[in-house]
Amino acid sequence: MEKILEIKDLSKHYGALKAVDHVSFQIQKGHVYGILGPNGSGKSTTLGMVLNVVNPTAGSYSWFEGTVNNHNALKRIGAIIERPNFYPNMDAVQNLKLVCKIKEISEDKIDEKLELVDLLSRKNSPFKTYSLGMKQRLAIASALLNDPEILILDEPTNGLDPQGIRKIRDIIQHIAKMGTTILLASHLLDEVEKVCTHVIVLRKGQMLYCGPVEEMNKNFGSILIDAVDKAALMRFMKTQDYVGSTEDQLDGFEVKLLKDVNTTQINQDAYNAGIVLSKLMFKKQSLEDQFIELTKN
Amino acid sequence: MKRLLDIEFHKFRYSRSSKILTIIYLSIVALMMLVGMIKIDFNGFSGSFSDLGIFDFPYVWHVSTYFTSFLKIFIAIVIVSLTASEYSNRTIKQNLIDGLSKKELILSKFYFVLILAVLTTLVVFLASLTLGLIYSDYNEIGIIFSDLQFIGAFFLGHLVFFSFCLFAGILLKRSAFALGFVAVWWLFEGAVNIIAYVIDKAYGTQVYDYVLHILPLNAMANLIKQPFTRIDLIGSSINQVTQGGLVFDYQVEWIDVASVLIWSSIFIYWAFALLKRRDL
């Protein structure tokens, strides 16, 4: 598998504050990565370092297996950091032309990318007249100009209204479908859950987890189970070896599972024990639950 | 180099304040060409500036470069605002993320400043040449193209000043602060000059001579010396002021040339070092 980015022991200290502390991970081609972490966990600082705008205190990183130097590697990348930065007096096309000059690519794709983010009709208005949503979309168009090998997005939906968030999310999903590698930093978990195959979890500058989404926590999800005779159900549950902690909720018992289960078998067993279930539902643990669990201590 | 200049001129082209200031600069230079036609009535003398002989070759090189030197503040504002606005709009960060290296970023600004210095020098050269051709009493090629060192000094003076402004813009990140810094620095050098002068008077030392060549703005100002006393000498009919035996040296001094060249490199290097060290 081709490595796009490799980070080794990267650290950034601001005096005594360890904004990023010995973070190491790899980005493989073709996956969609989410960087998760509460505010101030070092997501943006990490991205800033690999994007050549923040000087690392220690550690190293290399793009494309070290075959090109850093600023040339950045020409093959599309990145948006925090908020869109453009020249306020230039219009969309003039701003994008400048990006083409910096990236040393042809200007043919400007209209195509503006079309993709739905800005073609406003392409000749100065950047300063744009709404925040439009600015953010222009930033995405700009990041896509070179058909990047990896797209880096840092909080792309920050401060947008629901329509704006939906629009950006649709664009990201569209890009992910085309097979572009994406690195998405966000604290909005449903956003990450919808598109990411892999996650990197940071807390207070330290990396807690890096790997596929489904392996983040060793767990088997939970079941929601209910019967008319709750006491009998409770007694039955206590005899089963897959049952972990049980929570009595309004709509039934929420049971954490200790191993993989077959819901048909559970239903059969309960029936054999003389209990008729009124509800049985398998629930995968949400990314939010996993994340909270991982970062709580 | 072509790519970096292309990038920088793209930024310049779409900055309204830069365009306005450049137009003001060019209009003033053009206006000065018309000054020659103005009739003046002064001290019993009646005529136009051209009758003073200030547009005679080769004096015109000295006179016009001296007077237009003060206009470089307009171009300096352009440079400072273009540089500092990169910080306030955070486009400097975006440029780096898009794949410009920090070295290329400073180089593109330096090339831009260099070209601006060349262009302003060219404008003043052509304007002076035109003035001279219209008003000068001497039109031999040898005389026309003598004393051209003033044009060279004019270029160097602009280069060091523009580099200084570029450095100030990077250092302070806000145009107002950067322009203020340039002004304060200028006052500071003035204060140092006075102190040095006083010390020299009191102790018979020659600190003032050194200071005059070593500090950047001093060296810049000292490149092209005032031509007033020279005008008096050439303006035959107005020459009633006695010089009292004072000898003025009008020539461009090599030590100033060296000083401004060194300062220009230092300012550009400092700008690069600052950018390299900083987190954006």
Side-chain angles (χ1 to χ4, degrees), chain A residues 12 14 51-56 71-72 74-75 77 79-90 94-95 97-99 101-104 128 142, chain B residues 3 6-8 10-17 85-86 88-102 104 275-280:
Chain A
K12 177 69 186 179
Y14 295 101
L51 292 174
N52 202 18
V53 291
V54 176
N55 298 317
H71 77 273
N72 280 325
L74 292 183
K75 289 176 189 161
I77 292 164
I80 305 166
I81 288 262
E82 289 155 358
R83 65 187 176 98
N85 305 316
F86 288 101
Y87 295 85
N89 286 321
M90 294 188 203
Q94 289 158 354
N95 266 305
K97 276 188 178 163
L98 183 64
V99 175
K101 284 178 189 185
I102 291 176
K103 288 194 183 282
E104 297 181 89
K128 61 184 171 197
S142 157
Chain B
R3 165 175 166 256
D6 189 26
I7 289 170
E8 206 53 36
H10 189 97
K11 296 174 186 170
F12 172 73
R13 197 178 312 141
Y14 298 111
S15 160
R16 195 187 300 154
S17 54
S85 70
E86 296 261 23
S88 36
N89 296 330
R90 303 234 247 157
T91 43
I92 198 164
K93 191 172 176 180
Q94 196 60 46
N95 284 176
L96 294 177
I97 291 172
D98 286 338
L100 208 61
S101 70
K102 288 181 173 175
E104 284 177 332
L275 187 66
K276 196 168 178 182
R277 240 190 50 208
R278 267 194 198 142
D279 294 329
L280 294 162

Side-chain angles (χ1 to χ4, degrees), chain B residues 210-228:
Chain B
Y210 287 107
V211 169
L212 212 53
H213 297 302
I214 286 173
L215 294 179
L217 297 187
N218 273 345
M220 178 191 87
N222 209 30
L223 272 173
I224 301 175
K225 297 177 181 65
Q226 55 82 15
F228 301 113

Side-chain angles (χ1 to χ4, degrees), chain A residues 109-292:
Chain A
K109 291 202 167 155
I110 291 178
D111 276 4
E112 176 196 325
K113 302 302 176 190
L114 284 174
E115 167 100 71
L116 180 75
V117 297
D118 202 12
L119 274 179
L120 205 52
S121 57
R122 287 290 302 274
K123 70 173 185 177
N124 291 322
S125 318
F127 177 70
K128 61 184 171 197
T129 65
Y130 282 18
S131 70
L132 183 61
M134 293 165 72
K135 287 178 177 176
Q136 195 62 275
R137 267 147 48 210
L138 180 61
I140 292 185
S142 157
L144 290 173
L145 270 178
N146 54 343
D147 290 320
E149 287 166 65
I150 175 170
L151 182 64
I152 296 177
L153 302 160
D154 188 4
E155 306 286 3
T157 55
N158 235 6
L160 297 184
D161 57 17
Q163 286 92 338
I165 292 176
R166 171 64 66 83
K167 220 163 197 173
I168 299 282
R169 192 175 285 165
D170 289 347
I171 294 171
I172 294 174
Q173 277 174 342
H174 177 73
I175 298 162
K177 255 181 229 146
M178 296 190 305
T180 308
T181 310
I182 297 178
L183 182 57
L184 172 68
S186 180
H187 55 253
L188 299 176
L189 295 159
D190 56 337
E191 189 169 291
V192 172
E193 193 167 24
K194 280 194 179 115
V195 289
C196 295
T197 55
H198 289 66
V199 284
I200 294 149
V201 182
L202 296 177
R203 189 177 53 115
K204 291 182 185 159
Q206 286 177 323
M207 197 179 71
L208 298 180
Y209 175 76
C210 171
V213 178
E214 57 271 17
E215 287 171 24
M216 189 156 114
N217 269 346
K218 276 274 167 273
N219 77 73
F220 303 93
S222 56
I223 50 171
L224 192 63
I225 192 166
D226 202 8
V228 181
D229 187 354
K230 283 200 167 193
L233 179 62
M234 196 66 197
R235 279 194 301 277
F236 164 73
M237 296 300 291
K238 283 201 170 123
T239 63
Q240 306 297 313
D241 63 349
Y242 51 79
V243 172
S245 63
T246 306
E247 217 177 309
D248 194 357
Q249 290 184 341
L250 274 178
D251 49 354
F253 295 106
E254 171 142 11
V255 180
K256 276 233 163 72
L257 297 171
L258 299 177
K259 59 191 220 183
D260 283 324
V261 292
N262 177 348
T263 43
T264 315
Q265 190 61 47
I266 295 175
N267 197 0
Q268 184 70 54
D269 292 347
Y271 188 78
N272 292 346
I275 300 162
V276 181
L277 296 181
S278 61
K279 186 180 279 176
L280 177 60
M281 192 167 74
F282 177 73
K283 269 168 71 177
K284 225 173 88 180
Q285 193 183 27
S286 75
L287 188 60
E288 185 171 317
D289 290 338
Q290 295 183 55
F291 175 70
I292 297 288

Side-chain angles (χ1 to χ4, degrees), chain B residues 115-126:
Chain B
I115 294 292
L116 276 188
V118 168
L119 287 180
T120 47
T121 307
L122 198 67
V123 166
V124 167
F125 172 77
L126 291 175

